[in-house]
């Protein structure tokens, strides 16, 4: 990746793994980049739950740590 | 003669929601989503438990449970399986509420991996916090009538004592305490964990429980769909037997045919 391209990216953690997404993007856009359907997941950002209604507004910041979860089989 | 009570008229209510099926089934340990969905269908369950886990970001297009069991048709009851502290359980359920958008949840805070026995101190603490945050927790707990009463006082919407350790299939080990919990509770009581086969589910219902929650007994049966049917019948049979009121026990025989008129 060129230096210019890297400038446009922010480094984040998603489910414990390092990732990068476009600078200035919303959490909804980040989910899109990751290939996830926002209607099927819940997002925690730096240990705070992000309300579904604000996913399109909250901007992803450099160094953010996200947990993205969904429902799986369980007893 | 009394008119027979129609079975369909029987229902139970938890946190203002009314259900006709008294069987809640888990969605873990199935060989496939298809088998899981078929078992849920056969069980007649209106509530299924689900776990909250990280999405696989390496393969985001993997099929999801919600593609096979429609949350609009079956009530998803998110659990806190795998949580060993109140804080972990609360964090999990906050996310679950955001993922599903509802407040009815199953709280379980485990004490140790070997027995998966509940940690009641953490469970009670989590119940108090969750209720303050507007959750309606159905709470997995020990088969202890005093602990059950404390949970109810803390705002648990259902008390769910274990019949035996999770996944053990050993059946209802302590009928006396389950019965005491039922007698003392002002909220629904469901046996959660320990059921191994249909007769265990019937026992729970005959004790007066409002319902039974199970996962492994169906998922690990050789034919899970057939076992799901068996459990449906057993829960209904146990409930009817409870409502009918069983005969008294005698120490010795009592003939069913008249003694008079013997040749």
């Amino acid at each position: 990746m060129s230096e210019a391209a890297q400038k446009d990216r922010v480094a984040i953690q998603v489910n414990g793994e390092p990732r990068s997404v476009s600078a200035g993007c919303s959490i909804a856009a980040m989910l899109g980049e990751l290939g996830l359907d926002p209607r099927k997941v819940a997002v925690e950002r730096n240990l705070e739950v992000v309300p579904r209604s604000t996913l399109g507004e909250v901007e992803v910041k450099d160094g953010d740590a996200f947990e993205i979860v969904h429902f799986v089989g369980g007893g | 003669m009394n008119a027979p009570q129609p079975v369909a008229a029987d229902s139970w209510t938890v946190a203002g929601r009314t259900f006709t099926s008294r069987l809640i089934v888990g969605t873990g340990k199935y060989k496939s989503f298809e088998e899981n969905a078929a078992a849920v269908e056969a069980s007649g369950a209106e509530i299924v438990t689900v776990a909250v886990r990280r999405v696989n970001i390496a393969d985001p297009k993997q099929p999801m449970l919600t593609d096979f069991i429609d949350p609009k048709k079956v009530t998803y009851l998110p659990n806190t399986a795998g949580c060993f502290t109140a804080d972990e359980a609360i964090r999990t359920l906050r996310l679950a509420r955001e993922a599903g958008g509802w407040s009815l949840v199953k709280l379980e805070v485990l004490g140790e991996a070997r027995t998966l026995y509940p940690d009641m101190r953490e469970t009670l603490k989590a119940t108090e916090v969750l209720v303050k945050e507007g959750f309606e927790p159905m709470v997995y707990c020990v088969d202890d009538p005093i602990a059950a009463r404390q949970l109810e006082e803390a705002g648990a919407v259902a008390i769910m004592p274990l019949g035996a350790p999770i996944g053990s299939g050993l059946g209802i080990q302590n009928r006396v305490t389950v019965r005491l919990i039922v007698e003392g509770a002002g909220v629904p009581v469901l046996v959660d964990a320990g059921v191994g086969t249909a007769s265990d589910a019937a026992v729970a219902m005959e004790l007066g429980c409002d319902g039974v929650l199970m996962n492994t007994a169906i998922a690990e049966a050789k034919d899970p769909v057939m076992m799901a049917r068996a459990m449906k019948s057993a829960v209904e049979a146990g409930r009817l037997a409870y409502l009918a009121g069983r005969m008294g026990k005698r120490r010795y025989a009592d003939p069913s045919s008249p003694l008079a008129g013997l040749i």
Side-chain angles (χ1 to χ4, degrees):
Chain A
M1 203 183 290
S2 74
E3 213 171 286
Q6 273 191 356
K7 259 189 200 160
D8 299 333
R9 311 286 291 175
V10 289
I12 56 169
Q13 287 256 329
V14 179
N15 293 351
E17 288 181 26
R19 289 269 166 160
S20 75
V21 290
S22 310
C25 79
S26 67
I27 293 177
M30 172 190 79
L31 293 173
E33 279 193 36
L34 293 169
L36 296 167
D37 181 347
R39 291 168 303 174
K40 291 183 178 175
V41 300
V43 180
E44 184 192 70
R45 172 174 173 263
N46 303 330
L47 303 177
E48 292 278 338
V49 173
V50 183
R52 186 182 295 273
S53 56
T54 67
L55 289 176
E57 298 151 28
V58 180
E59 191 181 308
V60 177
K61 295 267 192 324
D62 195 53
D64 275 352
F66 292 96
E67 288 291 337
I68 305 174
V69 301
H70 66 150
F71 291 133
V72 303
Chain B
M1 206 179 87
N2 292 330
Q5 285 277 332
V7 179
D10 185 40
S11 66
W12 66 291
T13 300
V14 59
R17 300 164 178 82
T18 298
F19 299 95
T20 50
S21 170
R22 293 174 179 272
L23 176 57
I24 299 179
V25 297
T27 54
K29 300 182 178 174
Y30 284 93
K31 288 189 196 79
S32 66
F33 284 124
E34 287 83 359
E35 185 183 68
N36 190 345
V40 171
E41 178 80 30
S43 74
E46 295 163 308
I47 304 176
V48 297
T49 57
V50 295
V52 178
R53 292 291 181 271
R54 286 172 163 175
V55 297
N56 182 357
I57 54 168
D59 187 6
K61 294 298 172 209
Q62 267 183 359
M64 288 185 178
L65 184 67
T66 44
D67 301 330
F68 294 84
I69 298 170
D70 186 352
K72 290 191 191 73
K73 292 185 185 144
V74 182
T75 299
Y76 271 36
L77 185 67
N79 71 21
T80 59
C83 293
F84 286 82
T85 65
D87 287 344
E88 285 168 16
I90 294 160
R91 184 183 175 200
T92 299
L93 290 177
R94 284 177 184 148
L95 275 166
R97 181 158 63 178
E98 210 48 47
W102 50 78
S103 53
L104 190 67
V105 293
K106 171 182 162 178
L107 172 68
E108 59 181 293
V109 186
L110 304 171
E112 60 174 8
R114 190 171 65 91
T115 61
L116 298 180
Y117 224 68
D119 179 331
M120 290 312 298
R121 191 171 50 186
E122 291 292 302
T123 300
L124 192 59
K125 207 158 80 180
T127 302
E128 285 166 353
V129 174
L130 289 168
V131 168
K132 264 189 209 132
E133 293 189 11
F135 285 93
E136 294 166 307
M138 300 173 70
V139 185
Y140 167 66
C141 60
V142 289
D143 53 352
D144 169 353
I146 308 305
R149 193 170 66 210
Q150 290 167 343
L151 286 174
E152 188 177 337
E153 284 166 3
V157 298
I159 305 296
M160 305 207 290
L162 49 72
I166 293 171
S168 70
L170 290 170
I172 316 298
Q173 293 299 297
N174 203 336
R175 299 179 191 196
V176 176
T177 51
V178 170
R179 176 77 198 146
L180 286 173
I181 291 171
V182 168
E183 282 177 10
V187 294
V189 176
L190 297 89
V191 161
D192 177 1
V195 166
T197 189
S199 52
D200 300 332
V203 166
M205 296 310 295
E206 286 170 15
L207 290 171
C209 289
D210 295 277
V212 184
L213 195 162
M214 66 182 73
N215 190 149
T216 312
I218 296 174
E220 285 189 2
K222 288 200 175 65
D223 184 335
V225 178
M226 197 183 291
M227 186 58 89
R229 271 178 56 200
M231 292 301 184
K232 179 179 196 278
S233 299
V235 168
E236 287 171 1
R239 176 65 182 170
L240 285 174
Y242 172 72
L243 292 176
R246 62 153 296 148
M247 62 165 280
K249 290 184 182 180
R250 294 187 182 90
R251 291 166 69 90
Y252 301 102
D254 183 55
S256 296
S257 305
L259 295 175
L262 273 170
I263 53 167

